[in-house]
Amino acid sequence: MTLNEYITQSEPQANVKVILQEGEYIQRDAIKVAPFSVHTAVDIPAIAEHYGIKDNYIRIGTARQLFTRHPQTGELRGSIFFLPDDAPEPPELTRFLRFLKANEVFLKQWCEAHTIRGDLQECNARFRTAYAEYLNSIRNTYALTDEDIDFWLF
């Protein structure tokens, strides 16, 4: 079902799936809510205009389905609205995926250059020191927070 069909239906249907088209939604304010989770606020102006609903929807990662928050509990619930297959991913998520690739390269190179010889705890300590230096060196490039670095060092 299209957004226009949904808004103009005279008899509301249950369990519909509304596929939004470019120009019917606005993605904004993507935030990293945890080291592995990016939420993007999504507005649907026609819904706000037609029904007076001002709350925005939430896109989780690259999911096409949009979510809403329960007003009392804050629990996320799936909505009937879906982004099109070609909807761009949030730039924050693109940056995070690039970080994962760079991180994989660092780990592979470090493991190849530092075979475990002798005391395992000493080797782990050397790795943690090198890894902390690496994460701090790329902090700005990938917008890593102190929480992110602590997560990766854990």
Side-chain angles (χ1 to χ4, degrees):
M1 175 178 283
T2 67
L3 180 59
N4 191 48
E5 290 170 340
Y6 175 74
I7 290 173
T8 59
Q9 62 183 335
S10 57
E11 303 234 358
Q13 301 174 32
N15 302 319
V16 297
K17 181 178 179 180
V18 179
I19 309 291
L20 301 170
Q21 299 303 311
E22 188 175 336
E24 294 179 334
Y25 63 93
I26 302 166
Q27 289 192 89
R28 58 176 182 77
D29 301 335
I31 59 167
K32 187 167 39 172
V33 295
F36 279 105
S37 185
V38 174
H39 289 187
T40 306
V42 178
D43 293 328
I44 306 173
I47 295 296
E49 182 181 313
H50 190 76
Y51 296 106
I53 299 171
K54 303 280 189 226
D55 294 341
N56 58 32
Y57 293 85
I58 300 167
R59 179 182 187 186
I60 300 173
T62 58
R64 297 295 175 222
Q65 183 175 19
L66 300 180
F67 293 80
T68 60
R69 287 206 180 275
H70 187 279
Q72 281 81 33
T73 66
E75 179 181 335
L76 286 171
R77 299 183 298 185
S79 76
I80 62 168
F81 299 108
F82 291 76
L83 297 179
D85 289 339
D86 61 351
E89 66 184 23
E92 289 79 358
L93 187 57
T94 303
R95 184 173 48 234
F96 177 65
L97 293 173
R98 287 181 184 147
F99 160 72
L100 289 179
K101 287 179 184 173
N103 193 53
E104 181 181 16
V105 168
F106 169 82
L107 295 174
K108 183 178 179 184
Q109 289 174 346
W110 198 91
C111 288
E112 288 172 356
H114 299 87
T115 57
I116 299 174
R117 290 187 211 122
D119 187 9
L120 182 59
Q121 287 183 330
E122 182 183 316
C123 183
N124 284 343
R126 284 194 318 271
F127 169 76
R128 284 182 58 79
T129 299
Y131 195 44
E133 289 172 4
Y134 167 72
L135 290 174
N136 278 308
S137 75
I138 62 169
R139 173 188 295 267
N140 293 335
T141 304
Y142 298 106
L144 299 176
T145 64
D146 289 339
E147 180 185 77
D148 294 330
I149 291 174
D150 289 345
F151 174 85
W152 290 103
L153 286 173
F154 182 69

